[in-house]
Every structure is written in structure tokens, then in C-alpha cells.
Amino acid sequence: MAGYLPGCFTEEEIQCLEENAIFPPDPHRSQGKRKISATLIASTPSSNTSISSSASTTSVRTWNFNPSTISTNIPTDKESIEVLEYIGFEPATALDIFQRYTSRPEPDDCPDDLLSYVHGQISDLKGETSHEALARVGINTQIQSAIADPMFSDILWTRDLHFWVKDTLDTNLASLRNQHGLIKRHAGRLIAHKNKRKRRRVQGSFSTEEESTEQIHQPVATINMTSEDFHLPPTCTTIVDGDIPLLPDHIALYKGKAHGEMRSSRQLISSDGTINLSSLYSPPGGDFNSMGNAQYWTPDKEIAEKYRQWTALRCPQSDTCLLTIQVPKEFIETLDIIEIWFSGHWKELVWHCRQQLHLSAQFNSTYEVDLIKGHICAGQTEDLTQITANNIHTFITRDKLLQSRSTGKPGIQWAFQCPASIIRLQEQISGKMHLDIFAATN
């Protein structure tokens, strides 16, 4: 996983973190993990920076960061058994995966990294319906319980077990990467401050009394999170306290995600406010995308929030995010749109797409459209792919639709398909995106 985690902590960073009580003293550093103990304060991303007045400004609201706490163990190595346990494997399975990885022949010429072995471990879950399969591949009990939680069973069966387990493991890995980055950046700031203090002391700027005061450490360290820690550009980000009003002649669309999934080389918001939606793509096998990626959003905020809550349950060490974009109606009217609601045609399209089959001639109209609007299927993916075409209309009944709990109506999804239209969408929502970021629950 060398490409997924930052480098190990340096001795200078470890010493600094210990001095500031973020790493409690630990004589057993060789165990490959350290305890973190700190209070997180979400600083305004625009602090010490003037907010841009351009239309590219993105609004952000943080939840439960003031303060939140970190009190957990994190691996300190890039590739280790501890990393595998952290992301979601039982200890015995983590040991087995790591031993197979480290004993691979000719490792310098082998293209498979540790993440490839992780994904290989769960490949047997494809086509599985039984939750007992999670224990068989070595997934820990916390994730098993979260995935089996009946409150979220409708979301579970919008994809298969393999999809959600892979999503959970990848999200946990992203969370670890972000925790490493947060702690390393904070250590860097502390070291820079310490070095500056030393230089000033040499120049006679500090008295003995001032120096001794600065070395008094609090029992619980405080980390002031900056815009860099949220992966948000400070010059075009503004913090808000209340709800964002709907703009005239716009439609609000929502998505619930792990925040860590959007912290990658494909940064969601660039320094000039440009939005890049590529980190939010859904892979093939959804309701309306058979063989290509798609951008799925919903006009139902409650459904998006339920996705976010389930992510927080599966990945309690991950920050989560509810995204809102406001799309001009005038832009939507320029798109080639198909509406496919619960019907025989909808059932056949979902059945083909869930199996990632090449769409037949009867679906030619869906190949090149910009946007498909339709209901969300919550039927068990495995059953959908195992039934024959002759049984589609009998098996896929109306109770297979994902329901909005407050209204009792079927949930709605918008699937943006065409790459050119998605680029246009990015341009249209610049300055019209809002992020509600929720602190990790563990």
C-alpha cells in the first residue's frame, strides 16, 4: 500500500508528538502502532486568509468538531499486519494476508501491492447473499454488525456484499491515510515552531521564565484543524452556521459519502474553486450504468443522509460528508434526459445494468443520453443477477424500491452518464456546492 499511506513517522516527529502528549509514551514502538490522544478543533478554513469574493466560493459547515476527540491506536507503518487490522480484518486473517504478501516470489517484479491482496481476499464475496460469508473472509465483527444492521438493509441491497465490503475497507484505508496526514502536518507545525523558538532564544528574545512556561504540556493535546486538513482551498471556502438557501431557478441534489474518499489526487475542489467530480464516480453495476462510470445524485436529502449515516456506522473512524449541489434549471433543460420509473422497461434496464451486461437494442436510447432519472432499486443484487430474463417481471416487485422513510414514496436518483455533460455540470455548480462535514464517531 506504499502509494496509499504517507511515509512512516520520523524519529523527530515521534519525539515531538510525545513531547506534546499526542503520542503518549510507549516503550514498545516495535509493535507497529501508537496510541493517539488529542482534541480536534475545526478552525475556519479561511482563517488568516481573505475569502475570495468570486463566484467559485464553496460553503462548508462542520459538525461535532468543536471539540471532537481522537483516542485510538493507529498503525505507524505503511505496510503491516496492523494496517490490515485497522481497515477491517480479524487478526488471524490480517496475519495470513500479510504473510502471503511478504512471501510472494520476486517481489520487486510483482505488480501486486498489498491492496491487491486485500481485494483478492474478499473476491469470494461476489454473488454472495449470506452475511456468514463476511466471517469466512475474515471481516471483523464491528463491520459485520454494521453491514447487517436492519435499518440500512435497503441500502445494502442496492449493490452486492462485495461492493460494500470493498467500499468499507477502502474507506477505512482512506481514513488511516488522512489521520497520518493530519498528525504529520501537526507535527511539522510543532517542529517549525520549536525551531523558530530556538532561533529566537539564541538571539536573546526569550527569558528563562518564558521558556519554562512554553514547555508546560497539557494532559490532552489540542490539534487545530486547518483547511489543509479538510483538503479545502482556503481562498475559495467559507464556513457557514446555518442552512444554505436554495437559489432561484435551481434544483438541489445530494450525496452522502465518507469525506476521506474525496481527499485524493483528484481533489474535489481545486485552489481556484474549480470542481472535479471524478472522485465521486460510481463504478459499473449500478441501476442505470451497465459498463461505464456514472455520477449518481438524489433530490431527496433524507436518502443521501441515510447513505452518510450508514458510512459512519461502517467506518466509525472516518469523517463523513453530506454534499449538496445546486444545478440551474436552465442547464438541466439543455440535457438529453430519459425518465425511467418503475415499470417493465425499468425492471429490464436494472437487471441488465446490475449484471454489467451489454445493453441490447431495446436500450439504445440510454447509451448516449446525458441524464437518466428513475427510482432506486433496493432488491438483492445477487438475486437480480441469478434470475432469468423470463422471471424479471415476476421477481422485481414494487417492494424492491428504496423508500423515503418520511414520505413513504420511492426514492429517486439522477444518473449523469455522458462525460461531456458531467464536465458541463462541474462548471455549472462552481460556487454552488455545500459540504456538511461530520466528525468521526470513534
Side-chain angles (χ1 to χ4, degrees), residues 235-255:
T235 55
C236 53
T237 303
T238 181
I239 293 293
V240 298
D241 293 326
D243 292 332
I244 300 300
L246 179 63
L247 297 171
D249 298 319
H250 283 66
I251 292 178
L253 299 176
Y254 306 93
K255 181 185 287 288

Side-chain angles (χ1 to χ4, degrees), residues 256-292:
K257 297 280 287 185
H259 188 224
E261 294 180 83
M262 300 178 289
R263 305 180 189 183
S264 64
S265 58
R266 302 170 297 172
Q267 191 161 327
L268 178 65
I269 305 170
S270 64
S271 58
D272 63 356
T274 302
I275 293 175
N276 182 355
L277 295 176
S278 60
S279 61
L280 304 179
Y281 274 121
S282 294
D287 286 352
F288 301 149
N289 61 317
S290 175
M291 303 180 73

Side-chain angles (χ1 to χ4, degrees), residues 60-356:
V60 177
R61 177 168 50 177
T62 58
W63 297 81
N64 306 325
F65 280 98
N66 293 313
S68 66
T69 59
I70 297 179
S71 182
T72 187
N73 291 295
I74 65 166
T76 54
D77 296 328
K78 293 184 292 184
E79 297 180 339
S80 68
I81 297 169
E82 290 76 21
V83 169
L84 296 172
E85 291 182 21
Y86 181 96
I87 67 174
F89 288 108
E90 293 286 0
T93 304
L95 175 62
D96 175 65
I97 295 171
F98 194 72
Q99 287 179 337
R100 285 190 281 114
Y101 170 68
T102 54
S103 62
R104 67 196 187 283
E106 301 180 0
D108 292 338
D109 297 324
C110 180
D112 295 334
D113 59 9
L114 185 54
L115 190 60
S116 300
Y117 280 75
V118 167
H119 292 163
Q121 176 68 21
I122 63 172
S123 60
D124 287 348
L125 292 176
K126 294 179 179 178
E128 278 283 0
T129 60
S130 171
H131 287 96
E132 285 71 24
L134 301 178
R136 189 181 71 240
V137 299
I139 300 301
N140 67 34
T141 55
Q142 178 268 317
I143 295 176
Q144 290 185 45
S145 297
I147 287 180
D149 191 313
M151 181 169 293
F152 300 98
S153 60
D154 51 353
I155 295 179
L156 168 62
W157 297 123
T158 60
R159 302 296 292 247
D160 63 9
L161 274 177
H162 176 266
F163 176 91
W164 290 117
V165 171
K166 181 178 181 296
D167 179 80
T168 302
L169 298 177
D170 289 350
T171 297
N172 285 339
L173 180 58
S175 300
L176 178 57
R177 179 181 64 229
N178 293 328
Q179 282 194 348
H180 271 233
L182 171 67
I183 301 303
K184 286 176 70 69
R185 284 190 295 272
H186 186 67
R189 291 191 288 267
L190 291 172
I191 291 170
H193 176 71
K194 182 178 180 180
N195 291 338
K196 181 179 179 181
R197 189 180 61 197
K198 286 181 178 179
R199 290 193 299 270
R200 293 178 61 186
R201 187 176 61 224
V202 169
Q203 297 170 359
S205 299
F206 279 131
S207 67
T208 304
E209 182 180 355
E210 288 173 324
E211 175 66 15
S212 63
T213 300
E214 280 207 319
Q215 290 183 348
I216 296 175
H217 303 300
Q218 299 298 322
V220 178
T222 297
I223 298 177
N224 290 309
M225 300 182 71
T226 67
S227 60
E228 186 178 18
D229 298 318
F230 285 109
H231 285 238
L232 298 171
T235 55
C236 53
T237 303
T238 181
I239 293 293
V240 298
D241 293 326
D243 292 332
I244 300 300
L246 179 63
L247 297 171
D249 298 319
H250 283 66
I251 292 178
L253 299 176
Y254 306 93
K255 181 185 287 288
K257 297 280 287 185
H259 188 224
E261 294 180 83
M262 300 178 289
R263 305 180 189 183
S264 64
S265 58
R266 302 170 297 172
Q267 191 161 327
L268 178 65
I269 305 170
S270 64
S271 58
D272 63 356
T274 302
I275 293 175
N276 182 355
L277 295 176
S278 60
S279 61
L280 304 179
Y281 274 121
S282 294
D287 286 352
F288 301 149
N289 61 317
S290 175
M291 303 180 73
N293 294 327
Q295 281 282 333
Y296 280 91
W297 296 80
T298 177
D300 190 328
K301 185 177 182 179
E302 176 189 311
I303 287 177
E305 170 61 10
K306 189 172 183 179
Y307 272 87
R308 186 201 66 78
Q309 290 175 356
W310 193 41
T311 300
L313 182 66
R314 289 182 290 119
C315 310
Q317 297 187 99
S318 173
D319 300 340
T320 54
C321 185
L322 181 68
L323 297 96
T324 306
I325 59 175
Q326 297 199 42
V327 187
K329 293 180 180 179
E330 184 178 13
F331 165 72
I332 296 172
E333 291 169 357
T334 68
L335 301 178
D336 187 6
I337 302 173
I338 291 180
E339 297 187 8
I340 305 179
W341 309 109
F342 182 78
S343 61
H345 187 64
W346 178 91
K347 296 177 184 180
E348 292 171 2
L349 177 61
V350 170
W351 182 79
H352 278 81
C353 289
R354 287 289 187 91
Q355 297 188 84
Q356 300 182 43

